[in-house]
Amino acid sequence: MKQFILLILAAGKGTRLKSGLPKVLHHLAGKPLIEYVLDASRPLGPSSTLIVVGYEAEAVKSALAGVPAQFIDQVPQLGTGHAVQLAKPHWESHRGTILILSGDVPLISTHTLKSILETHWKTRPSVTLLSTFLEDPTGYGRVVRNSRGDVERVVEQKDASVQEQGLKEINTGIYCFEIADLVQVIGELSAANAQGEYYLTDSVGLLRRRNKRVGVMVCEDPLEAIGINSRIELAQLEQVLRGRKIKQLMLEGVTIVDPASTYVALDVRVGRDTVLYPNVFLEKGSLIGSRCQIYPNVRISNSVLEDNVIVLDSSLISESRIQSSAQIGPFAHLRRHTVIGKEARIGNFVEVKKSEIGDKTKAAHLSYLGDAQIGQGVNIGAGTITCNYDGVSKHPTVIEDHVFVGSDSQLIAPVTIHRNAYVAAGSSICEDVPEDSLAIARSRQVIKENWARKRRETRRKG
Ligand code: UD1
Ligand code: CA
């Protein structure tokens, strides 16, 4: 492919989003808008990438740290034409083509960008713009063609006559310009329009007036052209992407009981014959194995579930790994670098943080296990608590293989319970328990014979 420069416009505030966050950092299906544009253009291998930032520029730059691009500050933001003017020192000395993209048109595909470049290079006009036809073109710039069907100019919605507003062919905000031609007209833009802005779109009309050729490529899929201006478009595209993802999963062999209420981030993979019940959320970074069953109201974020895992209702799992055939929930909370072993069981109202739970170990009810290293075949009785925090720092609890911890015990860390040991129910364990021993750490039971009868009699007498 020939060389070209990439320029992405991302300085706008996104006034219509009514947000403190710059528009291009708003998330769509878990990914910031600007990253969609970068991901679509990266495979084309631009010779350099320029990104115009302005509103909350530092936030955008730090979100894109590591992206090999040059940032140009646009303050204040006086329009798309103004953005390209400010970037001019970085592109004017180059030869050839500049591809200009909007940071707020996320679904544009690599395929379409490749076609517009190829069309542009084949037909060699001064500019090729990408248009599409929309049933409801409200808000977009309209492509005005003459009687021969050639593009004359682009008119913005707010400047358009009633007749022009009837045009359904819109400007997507994506263009290939010949740098030598863009240089000639970019300085001539005027802000004498309804929005008082320098419109990049006016360069199309200016080139025509110089008798330059303007090309247009129509984008087949109008969804690729949708620009995000308000939270309404954001929700619309979210629904489109979600629908595609769910459909793809079903085609790959995942059962989705209610597609309308199942949310799966785009990067999540799910194995065959896994069943997702209604209201399941599988968030970014998650990998779900085959034959898993994920029951209603479960949220899984940045976690791995191996095969045959069952997650019962209303559980939250984040940054954890669940090994095969384990069962979690209902109402379990697993977080931060937790690993649950094969065939282990974490039951209702159990919270596990930064802990490793061995194979076939059970914590079936009402426990907090934090900073714990728990071996295989361990039984954690109901109400067991690892007291891992002394108000200043966190301490580890180690429970070796085949230990039995009786119900309602507190394990005051740092503490180790060695292999095969038993902890009697209701114990407060603050010293290590040796292998094969029984630890009882509670006060002795006292029986007062006939106490209740005597009390009854005293009360009766008055
Ligand atoms: C723009 C086009 C319109 C097109 C639509 C497609 C102009 C004048 N209009 O309108 O023809 O149909 O996109 O989505 O170009 N930006 C800057 N600096 C600025 C202003 C905007 O970098 O001073 C960036 C924004 O961050 C955004 C992009 O340029 O990523 C488009 O700006 P926006 O204000 O959304 O333009 P539209 O009104 O949508
Ligand atoms: Ca826009």
Side-chain angles (χ1 to χ4, degrees):
M1 225 156 85
K2 281 171 62 169
Q3 293 275 300
F4 69 96
I5 295 186
L6 175 65
L7 173 61
I8 302 176
L9 307 183
K13 176 173 182 199
T15 313
R16 289 160 280 183
L17 280 166
K18 308 237 164 72
S19 174
L21 191 68
K23 169 154 72 179
V24 296
L25 292 189
H26 274 259
H27 280 208
L28 175 63
K31 187 163 94 172
L33 295 179
I34 181 100
E35 280 189 22
Y36 281 87
V37 178
L38 285 164
D39 289 349
S41 50
R42 193 173 296 117
L44 304 168
S47 57
S48 61
T49 300
L50 309 172
I51 305 178
V52 183
V53 293
Y55 180 72
E56 291 287 328
E58 290 314 310
V60 180
K61 285 183 206 171
S62 69
L64 298 182
V67 172
Q70 193 153 14
F71 293 94
I72 294 128
D73 288 296
Q74 186 197 15
V75 183
Q77 297 93 43
L78 303 178
T80 49
H82 179 242
V84 178
Q85 283 170 353
L86 283 184
K88 187 169 157 233
H90 300 274
W91 55 260
E92 64 181 340
S93 58
H94 292 259
R95 288 151 173 256
T97 306
I98 183 166
L99 171 65
I100 301 183
L101 307 180
S102 277
D104 66 346
V105 181
L107 296 196
I108 192 67
S109 67
T110 305
H111 173 78
T112 300
L113 294 177
K114 192 160 177 255
S115 324
I116 190 177
L117 280 165
E118 282 166 354
T119 306
H120 182 75
W121 288 329
K122 201 154 50 179
T123 52
R124 307 199 55 77
S126 296
V127 57
T128 303
L129 58 99
L130 185 69
S131 76
T132 199
F133 288 86
L134 293 184
E135 256 325 295
D136 177 11
T138 313
Y140 290 90
R142 308 297 206 285
V143 176
V144 182
R145 296 183 185 242
N146 63 21
S147 52
R148 289 190 309 279
D150 298 329
V151 175
E152 279 297 323
R153 60 198 173 89
V154 172
V155 63
E156 292 306 295
Q157 163 92 23
K158 289 187 177 148
D159 301 288
S161 65
V162 174
Q163 197 189 357
E164 286 165 340
Q165 285 184 18
L167 296 171
K168 293 200 186 297
E169 185 178 16
I170 62 110
N171 168 34
T172 62
I174 291 167
Y175 327 78
C176 288
F177 279 96
E178 273 317 287
I179 290 175
D181 293 321
L182 182 60
V183 153
Q184 290 182 33
V185 293
I186 195 72
E188 290 179 17
L189 303 176
S190 131
N193 52 50
Q195 302 187 78
E197 285 185 2
Y198 296 92
Y199 294 159
L200 177 59
T201 44
D202 284 350
S203 57
V204 174
L206 289 170
L207 286 168
R208 281 296 297 133
R209 256 183 267 158
R210 291 171 177 239
N211 275 323
K212 299 281 187 184
R213 271 191 307 130
V214 172
V216 61
M217 187 181 108
V218 179
C219 182
E220 301 289 339
D221 178 4
L223 277 176
E224 286 195 31
I226 299 293
I228 303 290
N229 290 324
S230 73
R231 298 188 200 238
I232 295 172
E233 290 91 40
L234 208 51
Q236 280 166 350
L237 290 196
E238 183 90 32
Q239 206 172 7
V240 168
L241 289 182
R242 186 155 66 83
R244 279 187 197 165
K245 179 73 188 182
I246 296 290
K247 207 163 156 186
Q248 179 205 337
L249 290 176
M250 292 192 289
L251 290 173
E252 288 170 1
V254 178
T255 295
I256 296 180
V257 174
D258 178 20
S261 71
T262 307
Y263 301 78
V264 181
L266 303 183
D267 67 334
V268 170
R269 282 186 291 148
V270 183
R272 280 190 184 187
D273 293 320
T274 281
V275 182
L276 306 181
Y277 286 89
N279 227 17
V280 162
F281 291 71
L282 304 180
E283 296 182 338
K284 207 175 163 179
S286 298
L287 189 59
I288 311 293
S290 298
R291 298 174 302 279
C292 292
Q293 294 176 51
I294 305 182
Y295 282 85
N297 307 318
V298 167
R299 182 152 73 92
I300 299 176
S301 181
N302 197 22
S303 295
V304 175
L305 267 61
E306 295 181 0
D307 297 341
N308 300 307
V309 168
I310 297 176
V311 183
L312 295 171
D313 312 48
S314 300
S315 296
L316 170 58
I317 300 174
S318 59
E319 291 172 66
S320 296
R321 180 180 193 98
I322 319 295
Q323 293 177 338
S324 57
S325 305
Q327 181 177 316
I328 310 297
F331 301 100
H333 183 191
L334 312 186
R335 61 192 179 96
R336 260 175 67 201
H337 315 309
T338 281
V339 179
I340 307 293
K342 296 188 177 72
E343 294 175 50
R345 245 185 76 196
I346 302 297
N348 40 197
F349 308 106
V350 175
E351 176 181 353
V352 188
K353 187 217 78 174
K354 217 176 164 188
S355 294
E356 259 177 60
I357 311 289
D359 297 350
K360 296 189 175 175
T361 284
K362 288 181 187 153
H365 341 258
L366 299 155
S367 284
Y368 172 61
L369 304 171
D371 304 295
Q373 197 72 39
I374 302 179
Q376 304 187 0
V378 170
N379 185 81
I380 303 285
T384 298
I385 293 172
T386 55
C387 308
N388 59 335
Y389 188 45
D390 60 12
V392 181
S393 24
K394 303 280 168 73
H395 301 282
T397 300
V398 177
I399 303 176
E400 295 182 353
D401 296 348
H402 308 296
V403 161
F404 181 97
V405 180
S407 296
D408 198 23
S409 294
Q410 301 103 56
L411 310 175
I412 303 168
V415 72
T416 298
I417 303 171
H418 291 279
R419 282 178 74 85
N420 302 323
Y422 275 65
V423 170
S427 292
S428 288
I429 300 293
C430 55
E431 282 165 31
D432 290 359
V433 179
E435 190 173 332
D436 284 323
S437 63
L438 166 67
I440 308 174
R442 61 178 183 234
S443 48
R444 236 172 213 296
Q445 185 165 319
V446 175
I447 301 285
K448 301 192 174 178
E449 300 274 358
N450 291 321
W451 180 91
R453 190 167 47 77
K454 283 179 198 156
R455 182 167 183 260
R456 235 174 12 247
E457 284 165 3
T458 323
R459 291 184 71 179
R460 203 181 312 131
K461 283 179 196 149

